[in-house]
Structure formats: C-alpha cells, structure tokens
C-alpha cells in the first residue's frame, strides 16, 4: 500500500486540439461582436491582428488559447440568437484565452467568458497598460493559478472581474480567501461586463 501511495499519478496523454474549419471570411464574427455585443471595433480588430480569433465555416467565433506561439486550446461562441459557448475538445487544462495589454504584466484580470473580457477592454482600454486579461471559460481556479504562474503575476495582483451573480461572488470570495486575490465585479444591478 505504501509503495502504491508513493507511485506518481499518471496524467492522461495530451490530446490534439480540435480546431473547427476556418471560413474564408469573418464578416459574421465582426458583425456579432461589434453590432450585437457592442465590442469596440478597435478591440475586435486587435484580436484578429493578434490571431486569437477567427470565424469557422458555421459562422461561430473561435477564440484561441495560445502559449509561446502555439495553440493549446480555445473557446467557441455562437453568433446566432440561440447563444452557446464551450471549450474546444483537446484544450489544455488550466489554459485560457488571453490578451496582453502593454509589454510587462503587473496585474491579471479574470473573466468568465471572452465576450466579458472584450467588453471590459472596450470600457477600460486606456487604463489597462500592464494588464493581462484572461477568459477562464467559466469559473476555474486552476486556470487562474496556471495563468498567474505562467505570467509571473502574484496572486495579490489577480482581480476577479467575474459576473455579479451568486456563483461569481462566491468564486471571488473563495479566490480572496485562498489566494489573496481581489475582486472587481460589474456595478450593482448589472450581471456582467457585456451588460455594462
């Protein structure tokens, strides 16, 4: 029993990220993000310039998780009235879609979705130098810890910019108690940063 307890835990083999087929244009994604979700055009263009988003052949937004220039996963977001979102198969555990604002990272802001992250950037773009914006694709403590470690951000400089609902408030409270992180929720009466 002691030998079995001391044996290293085997991790599952890394899977290949399943990337949806890329469309020959991105008109639907641009229209959805700018007209429907009210993201600033400059913010959307920045995502395309940094190659962290594309439109798949079904017209969905595909947001890429990138580490050291390599795609390690992604989030999928529908662009029709029937909204859906999800994580691409084979995505690396603990990775997140991120946007670096400026050269050095002094603070990291966590979001529940890429749309909330882009909405926050639309609202505060001129104040975000030195920030790393990260979508966790939900409320994921491991993504917060992995991304903070990868970018050398102390947990005291991690801000939970999650939804103002029970789950978001509980996550921010847990992160503060366990790791000393801070919170920056949307204003009272508003659920998320896209609503703002």
């Amino acid at each position: 029993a002691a030998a079995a307890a001391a044996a290293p835990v085997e991790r599952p083999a890394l899977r290949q990220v399943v990337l949806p087929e890329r469309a020959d244009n991105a008109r639907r994604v641009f229209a959805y993000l700018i007209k429907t979700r009210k993201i600033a055009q400059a913010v959307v263009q920045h995502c395309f310039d940094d190659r962290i988003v594309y439109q798949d052949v079904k017209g969905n937004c595909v947001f890429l998780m990138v580490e050291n220039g390599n795609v390690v996963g992604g989030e999928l977001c529908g662009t029709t009235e029937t909204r859906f979102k999800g994580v691409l198969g084979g995505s690396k555990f603990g990775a997140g879609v991120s946007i670096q604002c400026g050269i050095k990272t002094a603070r990291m802001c966590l979001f529940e979705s890429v749309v909330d992250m882009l909405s926050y950037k639309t609202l505060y773009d001129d104040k975000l130098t030195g920030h790393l914006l990260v979508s966790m694709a939900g409320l994921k403590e491991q993504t917060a810890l992995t991304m903070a470690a990868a970018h050398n951000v102390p947990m005291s400089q991690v801000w939970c910019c999650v939804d103002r609902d029970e789950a978001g408030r509980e996550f921010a409270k847990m992160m503060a108690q366990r790791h000393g992180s801070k919170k920056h929720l949307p204003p009272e009466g508003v659920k998320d940063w896209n609503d703002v």
Side-chain angles (χ1 to χ4, degrees):
V9 177
E10 285 189 39
R11 292 198 167 261
L14 290 176
R15 299 181 306 172
Q16 184 72 25
V17 180
V18 180
L19 293 175
E21 186 180 345
R22 186 181 299 260
D24 60 2
N25 68 72
R27 286 190 293 270
R28 201 152 125 192
V29 167
F30 265 101
Y32 173 74
L33 293 174
I34 296 167
K35 293 181 179 177
T36 305
R37 301 313 291 264
K38 308 302 183 199
I39 308 296
Q41 183 172 344
V43 171
V44 175
Q45 188 62 55
H46 175 85
C47 292
F48 276 94
D49 292 346
D50 281 0
R51 297 181 179 171
I52 62 166
V53 66
Y54 70 88
Q55 178 176 309
D56 73 9
V57 292
K58 295 180 180 178
N60 300 310
C61 304
V62 181
F63 295 100
L64 301 174
M65 301 170 182
V66 180
E67 286 182 1
N68 302 317
N70 299 312
V71 175
V72 296
E75 288 184 48
L76 189 67
C77 176
T79 58
T80 64
E81 288 182 21
T82 307
R83 291 185 183 170
F84 72 89
K85 55 187 174 181
V87 177
L88 299 179
S91 293
K92 181 179 176 182
F93 181 70
V97 176
S98 64
I99 296 176
Q100 177 70 49
C101 304
I103 299 169
K104 288 190 171 186
T105 301
R107 178 178 291 171
M108 185 171 81
C109 298
L110 300 171
F111 302 89
E112 292 186 43
S113 72
V114 176
V115 168
D116 287 338
M117 177 178 76
L118 299 180
S119 299
Y120 192 85
K121 185 164 172 55
T122 295
L123 293 164
Y124 300 108
D125 200 18
D126 60 334
K127 298 175 181 155
L128 294 177
T129 300
H131 287 62
L132 177 70
L133 309 181
V134 176
S135 170
M136 300 178 287
L139 296 167
K140 298 176 182 168
E141 180 182 16
Q142 189 57 54
T143 300
L145 299 175
T146 300
M147 295 298 285
H151 294 274
N152 298 312
V153 178
M155 292 307 293
S156 62
Q157 291 303 311
V158 172
W159 289 75
C160 295
C161 304
V162 294
D163 293 359
R164 184 178 280 282
D165 58 13
E166 185 177 353
R169 287 191 302 268
E170 286 300 314
F171 178 80
K173 180 179 175 183
M174 176 275 294
M175 289 294 292
Q177 290 172 343
R178 288 188 191 170
H179 308 292
S181 62
K182 313 272 189 308
K183 70 177 176 179
H184 184 208
L185 303 182
E188 288 286 350
V190 178
K191 179 184 178 286
D192 61 36
W193 291 106
N194 190 242
D195 288 345
V196 176

